[in-house]
Every structure is written in structure tokens, then in C-alpha cells.
């Protein structure tokens, strides 16, 4: 159990929660070589960025800073002693080595040592009776996370020990600090934003880890050969930043037989799910594919219970090396066909918090028209200009469709539908945040309101209207593929893997095949190495032309997948089925509630209200589109009920149902808004205009009644109406009744109407 830990070990644990990585970090180099471990020893780009950012900030500090001597990386022992005891008068100490001479109590019971530990800065305030020391960490990041704060807490524990060893009577600030990239700034200069945080909760986390977990992790055997490494690990997207990824990747390699391929290879398996699978003897892809009933076993956890069937199907897809249809009958995320498909690819630089590229491909009449903007410099004005050029083209397309459809509706000619497609939800979110960064730009404000005109606020009225559901404008294609298919891939959010699996099955013709510099193990978005190389003009990095080629390749692959989904839906309908894609798209027409030529701040506020309401409605429809068993297992549906009583009481219809045991754990309770009763007909539960015809009130359970029975009521008018009576007549004697939670937005329409009234009152 010999070895050592540092502040990086602590931070890494709370960042990854990976026992294997922590165990390897503890080992001495000679131990690692004896295994041997495959590791990437190159300095990570994040570390390079962080070091450069830290150097600029420390150099810019106006107060005196105690620095290491020339050619040295840390303060000498004499410098450290002088700063802590007051013999040195500088306010800050940079790169102090806090390695203690005595064994820290927090590592009691282990033979682990503390390795060289260097906080970025220690600040001292000697104005009071006792000096007060503060620990500061400098991070080239946009947010101080919990794992950053635990690193500061570990520094504090070692600083406490150092002061004690020197006999210094001093205080340590009860707050730590992280200096990070400013919210509205970049990482290029020396500006920083301070985040102060209370240390107490993070000190408890560090103490618990060091006293209860690190010793057990350090004692796990790691020996050469197959099966000699007993450390628990899980390969997933966060591992891309880990030096040991080449070592762990071997366990999920595609050339391994399914009987030896680690269960981490199955897309969607989490740390917790893998632990539960291990506890039940399921360690490989082949074992998971055969593990019938794994979700019903005791102690497997809620997540695995809900997703067991889906994960087993994905394991089968890997075993059989082919796509398999999921048990979900359809998706509400995408229409069955569109006349004009708009595809978008968006890349984001997390360091400068800016877009790096935007790709737009409009397909109409079988013709592709790609347009690509690459933002080479960390320039907010350049980002706004690129968005305006893309949005101008997009809105020109929508405007032309609007004009054609208005004319067609007047003349009776054929109309056109249109829809927007991203691959990843993150791309849409990054584009939305970019719009938010430039709301002070009148061009972006007008463009935002043009986009909001897709969501007509005049349709945001109380149920049962909700006609605006038909205007939901965008789809994240990855989510559609995940809903309808299990693919032989390790991660479904990697366009490269997904498109390659579909091409191998002869389902699409244009997979994404990145050039070597753009290949990533878990994602197809631009890597931080490519982005920073482009921004910094590195000779060994892809230039803007190469980035443009990569964006074009992703647009082509995205378009190919969208075409395949349309074709799959058409084939289902041609075979007499109801189809895979259920989003009902009407001919596209702009709605004129907002006037982009007369923009005021209240317009923007009303636009945000409308978007938020539409997002909530879409989330509800996505959930309702899932099979009853999946909704039930997620606690969002009381499924498979049998009606046992049905009586009229005044203007209400009272009904009692028997609830099967598997539906007793639902989160639905009396008092919930928006509850609907259906026989699970998708044309009912996925039609917001029908929700008012099957709306119910759930009664609170009476203490004297068995839990397996529940009572509800609905208005007599709804019960007697044609919508509910159609279900009642075909379902009254069957155990097919389901209670679901729909979407109810009480405040959104009122807020939008109120803001609209304010707009009216401010106009001349």
C-alpha cells in the first residue's frame, strides 16, 4: 500500500470518482512500469492553458509576491518558513511546497505519503493581532466546481499542519478562493473573477475521503496479466482527459470478443449501474446481453431498474454487430417528413466561452446548400458577425417559405413544411447561449424575435388549445436515434461512431470520417486542442480551411441520418404501421405577434417567456412518447389500471381503479396539476388539444382503503364527450387505463399577456 497522494489526486477523485485512476495516481513510477500501464504522458492542453493563465495573473499582481528563485519551480524551505513566520514581508507566496515533515492525521492507518503539494497562491493579512492566511487556486475555467474547491480544502489541511509544525500562532480564512476566467472575459489576458466559498463542507469531504476511502483504494491489488487488476473503473466521456485512457480503452476495444469486452462498452451504462451489474455477476457485454430480468433483482438501483431493458438491447446490438429496434414504438421529437430540412452544426470554445464554428445546410428538392462560418479569433464582435450571417441566410429561407405558404393557402396550392436539425442537444444550447451573449446587439435582438415568431404567442392559451405544439421547430437527432434504435456503439452522442454503425449496416451512404487531427474517442465536436490551436495560430494545428472541411463532413453525415430516419418512417407506414415519427408539422408560416422592426426590451422578455413555455411542453411530450412500462418505471405514469367503479356525482364523474403492484411506486400524487386519464392511445396522450377532454383530479388516499385502489374524478362534460367516450367504450372492461402527467403552464400565458399589455401601454 506504499505510495503517495497530492492535491491533484484529491481533485481527480472528486472530478472522476474513478477508483482505478486514483489507485494508479498513488502508485510509484516503478510500480506502474511493472504492470505495465499504458498512459499518455504528454502534458494536457488544459494544464498548459492553466499554467499560462496563472503565470499572467501572478505577473500582474500589484502587491509583492514571494516567488521561487530563478530556475526553481517551488519556494525553498527557507522561503516557506520565512513567509509563514513573518520573516518575509510579501503579501502573496507563489508555489509554496506544503509537504509536511510529519504524517498527517488525515492519512492515519495508511502508509501513504504526501507528495509535493503546491497551492497557486497563499495570501497573508498581518493587519490584526494574528496573521490570517488565505488559500487561492487559479483556474482557466468558467466555473469553480466542487472538485476545484476540494483541492483548495486539501491545501488548507496541509497549511494547518505546516503552521503547527513551525509553531506559528495564526488563523486560516474560513473561506477559500478560486480565481477564474471572468464571466464576460477571455483567458487571453490577466483578468480574473474571484469566487469565494465557505471551506467547511469541502474540508469534511476531504477528511472523509482521506480517512475512509483512500486507504481502501490503495490496498486494491494491481498485478500484471488478464484479471490481475482488481480496481473498479468505468470508461465514459470524462475519460477523454485522463492520461490512463489508452490503458483502459483496451478493455472495451471492438476487436475483443463480447465475452471479454467490459460492460463499459455499452452506451449509457453509468458508474452506479456498472457497480450494480458487477454485484450481480454481470461484467461483460455478452453477460449483459443475456441478463434477463436484471432490472428486477434486489439492490440494482433505480437507474438500472428503469434502463435495464434498454441497456440489454444495446449490449445485444454490440454482440450482433448490427442496429436493433428498441421497444419504443415512435418518437414525438421529429416529423415524418419535411419539404425543407435545415441542418445546423455548432462548435463551442469552453475557454473563451465563444462559438468556434457554425455550419448551416439547407436541403430542398434534393439539393444541399452548405454555408460554414469559422470564427478564428477570440473576438465577441466576430462571433456576433458570424451568427448574423448564418441567421440572415436561415431567416431568408424561412421568410421565403412563409411567403410561398401564405400564397398557397390563399390559392389552394400545395404548401411546404420545414424543420431544423442538430445532432447534439448541446449544439442547440450553445447557440442559444451565444444569442444571449449578444442581446445588446440590435441585429441579434431582431434575429431572436424573428426566431420566436416560429412560436406564436397567440396560441399560448389555457388547455385544451395549445395549437403551438405543431410549430416546435428543432430536433436533436441523437435523441431520436437513441429512442428508436440500439446501435453497436460505445457512445451514442458520437456522430462518428453512430454514422459508421449505420453505414456498416448499409442504412446511410455518408458517414462522418474525420481527419486524424479531428478524431476523438467520445465526441465529434471540435476538441479543445483543435480549437485552441486554431485560436492561437499554431502551425501544427488544423487551420480554418480544415475546420471548415470537418464541419461540412458533419453536416453531410447529419443530413444522411435525417434522410434515413425519414425513409424508415415511410417504410413503416408503407407496411401498414402507424410510423416512427409522430411530430405533426403544419405548413410553416411566421406568426406576427412580434414586430422585429420595433424591438423593445419587453419584446425580448416576452420572447423568453414563450420559449420557456414551449420548452416545457416539448419536455412533457417527449416523456409521454415513451412506452407505458418506461413511463411507469420512471414514476411518471400509473399504468395498467382496471376500472372497478364508475358513478355520477353532480357535475363530476367519480371512478375507482385497481392499481397493479408494479405501478404503486409512482410519483404521481393527489394535487398534481395536468393529470390525464387515457387508454394509452398515442393519438390521445400526444395531442395537447385532447388533454382537456381527459383531464382528471386524483383523490387523496383514505387511510381505511387499501393502497391498491385509487379514486379520481373528471368533469361530467369531459366524461360524456366524444373523445373520452371513444376510449371508454373500447376499454371499460380491460386493464388498460393509465394516468399520466401532461403539461400545465399557469403563469407563462399570464406573464406573456401581461408583458404584451405593458408593450401596448408604452407605445404611442
Amino acid at each position: 500500500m506504499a505510495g503517495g497522494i497530492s492535491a491533484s489526486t484529491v481533485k481527480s477523485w472528486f472530478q472522476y470518482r474513478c477508483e482505478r485512476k486514483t489507485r494508479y495516481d498513488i502508485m510509484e513510477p516503478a510500480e506502474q512500469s511493472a504492470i505495465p500501464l499504458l498512459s499518455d504522458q504528454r502534458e494536457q492542453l488544459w494544464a498548459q492553458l492553466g499554467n499560462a493563465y496563472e503565470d499572467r495573473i501572478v505577473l500582474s499582481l500589484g502587491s509583492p509576491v514571494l516567488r521561487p528563485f530563478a530556475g526553481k519551480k517551488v519556494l525553498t524551505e527557507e522561503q516557506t518558513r520565512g513567509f509563514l513566520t513573518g520573516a518575509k514581508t510579501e503579501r502573496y507566496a507563489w508555489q509554496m511546497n506544503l509537504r509536511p515533515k510529519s504524517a498527517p492525521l488525515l492519512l492515519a492507518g495508511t502508509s501513504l505519503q504526501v507528495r509535493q503539494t503546491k497551492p497557486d497562491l497563499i495570501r497573508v493579512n498581518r493587519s490584526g493581532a494574528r496573521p490570517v492566511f488565505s488559500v487561492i487556486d487559479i483556474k482557466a475555467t468558467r466555473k469553480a466546481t466542487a472538485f476545484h474547491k476540494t483541492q483548495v480544502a486539501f491545501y488548507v489541511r496541509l497549511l494547518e499542519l505546516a503552521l503547527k509544525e513551525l509553531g506559528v500562532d495564526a488563523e486560516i480564512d474560513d473561506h477559500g478562493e478560486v480565481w477564474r476566467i471572468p464571466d464576460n472575459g477571455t483567458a487571453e489576458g490577466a483578468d480574473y473573477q474571484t469566487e469565494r466559498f465557505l471551506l467547511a463542507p469541502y474540508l469534511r469531504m476531504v477528511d472523509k475521503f482521506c480517512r475512509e476511502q483512500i486507504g481502501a483504494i490503495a490496498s486494491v491489488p494491481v498485478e500484471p496479466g488478464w484479471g490481475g487488476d482488481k480496481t473498479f473503473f468505468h470508461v465514459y466521456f470524462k475519460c477523454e482527459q485522463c492520461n490512463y485512457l489508452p490503458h483502459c480503452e483496451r478493455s472495451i476495444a471492438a476487436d475483443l470478443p463480447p465475452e471479454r469486452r467490459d460492460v463499459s462498452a455499452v452506451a449509457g451504462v453509468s458508474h452506479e449501474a456498472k457497480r450494480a451489474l458487477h454485484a450481480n455477476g454481470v461484467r461483460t457485454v455478452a453477460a449483459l446481453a443475456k441478463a434477463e430480468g436484471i432490472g428486477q433483482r434486489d439492490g440494482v438501483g433505480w437507474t438500472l431498474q428503469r434502463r435495464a431493458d434498454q441497456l440489454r438491447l444495446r449490449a445485444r446490438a454490440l454482440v450482433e454487430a448490427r442496429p436493433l429496434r428498441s421497444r419504443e414504438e415512435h418518437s414525438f421529437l421529429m416529423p415524418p417528413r419535411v419539404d425543407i430540412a435545415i441542418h445546423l452544426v455548432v462548435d463551442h470554445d469552453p475557454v473563451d466561452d465563444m462559438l468556434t464554428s457554425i455550419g448551416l445546410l439547407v436541403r430542398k428538392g434534393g439539393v444541399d446548400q452548405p454555408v460554414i462560418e469559422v470564427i478564428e479569433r477570440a473576438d465577441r464582435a466576430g462571433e456576433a458577425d458570424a451568427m448574423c450571417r448564418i441567421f440572415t441566410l436561415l431567416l431568408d429561407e424561412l421568410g421565403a417559405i412563409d411567403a410561398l405558404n401564405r400564397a398557397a393557402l390563399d390559392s389552394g396550392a400545395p404548401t411546404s413544411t420545414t424543420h431544423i436539425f442538430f445532432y447534439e442537444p448541446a449544439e442547440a444550447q450553445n447557440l442559444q447561449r451565444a444569442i444571449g451573449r449578444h442581446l445588446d446587439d440590435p441585429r441579434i435582438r431582431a434575429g431572436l424575435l424573428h426566431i420566436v415568431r416560429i412560436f406564436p404567442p397567440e396560441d399560448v392559451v389555457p388547455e385544451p388549445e395549445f395549437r403551438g405544439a405543431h410549430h416546435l421547430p428543432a430536433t436533436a437527432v441523437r435523441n431520436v436515434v437513441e429512442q428508436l434504435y440500439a446501435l453497436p456503439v460505445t457512445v451514442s452522442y458520437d456522430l462518428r461512431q453512430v454514422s459508421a454503425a449505420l453505414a456498416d449496416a448499409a442504412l446511410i451512404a455518408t458517414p462522418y470520417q474525420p481527419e486524424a487531427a479531428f478524431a476523438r474517442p467520445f465526441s465529434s465536436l471540435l476538441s479543445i486542442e483543435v480549437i485552441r490551436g486554431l485560436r492561437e495560430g499554431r502551425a501544427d494545428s488544423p487551420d480554418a480551411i480544415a475546420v471548415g472541411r470537418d464541419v461540412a463532413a458533419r453536416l453531410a453525415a447529419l443530413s444522411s441520418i435525417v434522410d434515413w430516419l425519414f425513409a424508415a418512417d415511410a417504410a413503416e407506414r408503407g407496411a401498414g404501421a402507424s410510423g416512427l415519427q409522430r411530430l405533426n408539422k403544419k405548413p410553416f408560416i411566421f406568426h406576427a405577434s412580434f414586430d422585429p422592426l420595433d424591438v423593445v426590451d419587453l419584446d425580448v422578455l416576452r420572447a423568453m417567456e414563450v420559449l420557456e413555455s414551449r420548452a416545457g411542453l416539448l419536455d412533457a411530450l417527449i416523456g409521454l412518447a415513451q412506452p407505458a412500462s418506461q413511463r411507469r418505471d420512471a414514476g411518471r405514469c400509473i399504468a395498467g389500471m382496471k376500472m372497478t367503479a364508475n358513478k355520477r356525482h353532480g357535475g363530476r364523474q367519480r371512478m375507482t381503479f385497481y392499481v397493479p403492484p408494479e405501478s404503486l411506486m409512482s410519483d404521481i400524487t393527489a394535487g398534481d396539476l395536468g393529470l390525464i386519464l387515457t387508454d394509452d392511445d398515442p393519438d390521445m396522450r400526444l395531442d395537447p388539444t385532447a388533454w382537456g377532454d381527459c383531464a382528471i383530479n386524483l383523490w387523496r388516499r383514505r387511510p381505511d382503503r387499501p393502497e391498491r385502489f385509487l379514486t379520481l374524478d373528471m368533469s361530467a362534460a369531459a366524461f360524456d364527450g366524444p373523445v373520452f367516450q371513444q376510449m371508454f367504450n373500447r376499454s371499460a372492461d380491460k386493464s388498460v387505463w393509465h394516468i399520466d402527467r401532461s403539461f400545465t403552464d399557469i403563469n407563462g400565458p399570464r406573464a406573456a399577456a401581461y408583458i404584451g399589455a405593458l408593450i401596448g401601454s408604452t407605445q404611442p
Side-chain angles (χ1 to χ4, degrees):
M1 198 167 64
I5 72 169
S6 66
S8 295
T9 311
V10 174
K11 178 181 77 73
S12 172
W13 168 256
F14 288 103
Q15 181 175 5
Y16 297 102
R17 300 283 181 168
C18 180
E19 292 181 8
R20 170 172 283 187
K21 186 179 190 309
T22 303
R23 179 69 178 92
Y24 290 172
D25 285 345
I26 289 169
M27 296 167 66
E28 299 297 338
E31 293 180 272
Q32 293 187 356
S33 299
I35 301 302
L37 295 182
L38 293 179
S39 62
D40 185 352
Q41 296 301 325
R42 295 173 298 172
E43 185 178 21
Q44 295 285 340
L45 181 62
W46 280 110
Q48 298 173 18
L49 288 168
N51 292 337
Y53 184 58
E54 176 187 334
D55 290 346
R56 292 194 297 272
I57 288 177
V58 173
L59 187 63
S60 71
L61 288 176
S63 301
V65 180
L66 182 62
R67 306 170 185 270
F69 292 124
K72 301 293 183 181
K73 294 184 178 180
V74 297
L75 299 179
T76 65
E77 186 175 332
E78 181 179 355
Q79 285 178 302
T80 297
R81 185 187 309 110
F83 182 81
L84 295 179
T85 59
K88 299 285 187 180
T89 60
E90 289 87 352
R91 188 184 181 197
Y92 293 96
W94 183 36
Q95 299 296 298
M96 178 187 294
N97 184 7
L98 289 176
R99 185 175 183 176
K101 290 183 170 57
S102 56
L105 286 177
L106 71 168
L107 294 177
T110 76
S111 58
L112 297 172
Q113 303 296 315
V114 175
R115 292 186 174 134
Q116 189 178 77
T117 301
K118 304 174 297 179
D120 293 338
L121 285 173
I122 295 179
R123 182 179 60 222
V124 64
N125 182 351
R126 302 187 186 279
S127 61
R130 303 168 68 204
V132 179
F133 292 93
S134 301
V135 177
I136 301 164
D137 206 26
I138 302 173
K139 296 293 183 187
T141 184
R142 294 280 167 181
K143 180 181 179 181
T145 62
F147 56 83
H148 293 140
K149 296 171 184 178
T150 55
Q151 184 174 10
V152 174
F154 186 73
Y155 289 141
V156 167
R157 285 292 185 235
L158 296 187
L159 177 59
E160 290 173 341
L161 185 57
L163 292 170
K164 182 178 179 181
E165 288 179 347
L166 292 172
V168 177
D169 182 23
E171 298 178 21
I172 296 179
D173 191 347
D174 60 2
H175 282 71
E177 294 182 15
V178 174
W179 292 1
R180 61 169 180 83
I181 302 170
D183 288 339
N184 296 315
T186 72
E188 308 303 322
D191 293 336
Y192 62 89
Q193 185 166 325
T194 300
E195 282 198 29
R196 280 178 57 82
F197 60 94
L198 192 64
L199 280 165
Y202 301 99
L203 290 171
R204 289 194 293 270
M205 291 169 65
V206 169
D207 292 345
K208 180 179 177 63
F209 168 66
C210 291
R211 289 173 179 159
E212 300 179 14
Q213 294 172 290
I214 190 66
I217 293 172
S219 64
V220 176
V222 180
E223 299 172 358
W226 177 261
D229 189 340
K230 304 298 183 183
T231 54
F232 180 83
F233 73 102
H234 180 54
V235 183
Y236 70 129
F237 72 94
K238 280 190 176 182
C239 301
E240 187 170 353
Q241 299 180 36
C242 178
N243 291 338
Y244 306 115
L245 178 58
H247 186 80
C248 298
E249 269 189 317
R250 298 184 304 177
S251 65
I252 63 169
D255 58 357
L256 284 175
E259 294 76 16
R260 288 188 57 189
R261 198 174 184 191
D262 188 84
V263 75
S264 289
V266 178
V269 171
S270 64
H271 276 84
E272 294 74 17
K274 184 174 177 179
R275 287 185 187 277
L277 291 171
H278 278 200
N280 284 273
V282 178
R283 294 179 173 271
T284 66
V285 170
L288 178 56
K290 299 174 183 177
E292 294 186 14
I294 187 67
Q296 281 70 53
R297 298 183 191 177
D298 292 338
V300 297
W302 180 248
T303 301
L304 185 55
Q305 284 179 8
R306 291 191 298 111
R307 307 190 66 197
D309 291 341
Q310 182 185 54
L311 296 178
R312 284 189 60 242
L313 188 67
R314 291 177 179 177
R316 276 187 52 211
L318 288 172
V319 171
E320 300 176 21
R322 64 187 180 96
L324 299 173
R325 270 286 278 126
S326 75
R327 62 176 182 167
E328 297 203 28
E329 299 174 0
H330 45 248
S331 170
F332 195 76
L333 295 175
M334 171 174 173
R337 58 172 290 276
V338 296
D339 299 298
I340 300 176
I342 298 169
H343 309 81
L344 282 165
V345 165
V346 179
D347 290 299
H348 176 251
D349 179 357
V351 175
D352 286 327
D353 193 25
M354 276 182 51
L355 300 184
T356 308
S357 69
I358 315 173
L360 169 68
L361 185 149
V362 179
R363 169 166 286 189
K364 53 184 177 181
V367 178
D368 292 346
Q369 303 174 32
V371 179
I372 296 166
E373 291 284 340
V374 178
I375 306 164
E376 297 186 58
R377 298 287 176 260
D379 177 17
R380 291 292 169 90
E383 179 185 50
D385 291 343
M387 286 194 298
C388 286
R389 286 191 289 269
I390 291 291
F391 281 151
T392 297
L393 293 171
L394 173 59
L395 292 168
D396 284 347
E397 289 288 347
L398 295 177
I401 299 167
D402 170 80
L404 287 173
N405 282 340
R406 288 182 186 277
L409 290 173
D410 291 337
S411 65
T415 56
S416 296
T417 57
T418 187
H419 201 69
I420 301 172
F421 297 94
F422 296 87
Y423 183 71
E424 272 275 23
E427 296 178 85
Q429 293 162 7
N430 286 331
L431 188 58
Q432 181 184 18
R433 285 196 290 266
I435 292 172
R437 285 194 292 273
H438 296 282
L439 286 180
D440 57 344
D441 187 320
R443 300 171 300 168
I444 298 295
R445 287 159 61 95
L448 170 69
L449 296 184
H450 265 300
I451 294 295
V452 170
R453 290 171 70 203
I454 297 171
F455 304 96
E458 60 265 28
D459 285 350
V460 186
V461 293
E463 297 181 31
E465 298 297 329
F466 278 99
R467 295 183 299 275
H470 301 298
H471 295 274
L472 296 169
T475 288
V477 174
R478 163 201 157 189
N479 292 345
V480 179
V481 175
E482 282 184 330
Q483 277 191 357
L484 298 176
Y485 294 90
L487 301 182
V489 298
T490 55
V491 286
S492 58
Y493 38 82
D494 183 359
L495 179 61
R496 172 184 59 84
Q497 292 188 49
V498 168
S499 62
L502 295 174
D504 290 343
L507 296 173
I508 68 170
T510 313
Y512 169 55
Q513 298 174 316
E515 299 174 17
F518 295 93
R520 297 177 62 183
F522 303 110
S523 175
S524 294
L525 299 177
L526 292 183
S527 68
I528 186 65
E529 287 79 12
V530 170
I531 292 172
R532 300 312 302 172
L534 174 71
R535 290 269 159 91
E536 295 166 13
R538 297 179 186 174
D540 58 346
S541 295
D543 59 12
I545 295 174
V547 170
R549 285 198 306 269
D550 185 75
V551 172
R554 282 182 277 150
L555 281 169
L558 172 60
S559 178
S560 191
I561 294 175
V562 170
D563 290 345
W564 161 65
L565 288 170
F566 285 147
D569 181 88
E572 288 274 323
R573 295 175 189 270
S578 60
L580 304 177
Q581 318 297 345
R582 298 296 295 272
L583 179 59
N584 182 17
K585 291 292 287 190
K586 290 185 176 180
F588 175 80
I589 294 178
F590 271 134
H591 289 256
S593 294
F594 294 120
D595 180 5
L597 301 179
D598 187 21
V599 179
V600 296
D601 289 339
L602 289 172
D603 284 318
V604 177
L605 184 59
R606 180 166 59 163
M608 294 302 182
E609 283 289 344
V610 174
L611 286 170
E612 184 176 356
S613 180
R614 285 299 184 272
L617 174 59
L618 180 57
D619 284 343
L621 290 170
I622 291 169
L624 288 169
Q626 296 174 340
S629 58
Q630 193 167 340
R631 305 196 316 270
R632 177 202 65 204
D633 293 345
R636 294 182 279 104
C637 174
I638 304 176
M641 303 185 302
K642 183 177 179 61
M643 188 180 294
T644 61
N646 176 34
K647 295 181 181 180
R648 180 67 56 90
H649 287 266
R652 308 289 296 178
Q653 192 76 18
R654 184 183 304 172
M655 291 168 275
T656 301
F657 294 86
Y658 169 79
V659 181
E662 58 269 22
S663 288
L664 291 175
M665 299 302 291
S666 171
D667 292 336
I668 293 176
T669 60
D672 284 355
L673 298 176
L675 297 182
I676 58 174
L677 176 69
T678 72
D679 62 352
D680 209 35
D681 180 355
D683 289 331
M684 294 297 302
R685 71 174 193 270
L686 297 180
D687 183 1
T689 64
W691 291 346
D693 296 319
C694 48
I696 61 164
N697 292 321
L698 186 61
W699 288 25
R700 298 189 183 278
R701 295 185 185 275
R702 286 170 41 185
D704 59 335
R705 288 186 62 84
E707 186 181 25
R708 62 183 179 272
F709 290 96
L710 61 78
T711 300
L712 55 85
D713 64 45
M714 68 189 312
S715 73
F719 181 85
D720 294 335
V723 171
F724 191 81
Q725 280 299 307
Q726 183 181 12
M727 290 190 294
F728 184 80
N729 291 331
R730 70 189 177 206
S731 308
D733 297 327
K734 301 175 184 177
S735 301
V736 296
W737 292 103
H738 298 63
I739 297 176
D740 284 280
R741 188 183 292 115
S742 64
F743 175 74
T744 302
D745 185 6
I746 296 175
N747 294 322
R750 296 174 180 173
Y754 177 68
I755 296 168
L758 291 178
I759 294 172
S761 68
T762 59
Q763 293 174 343

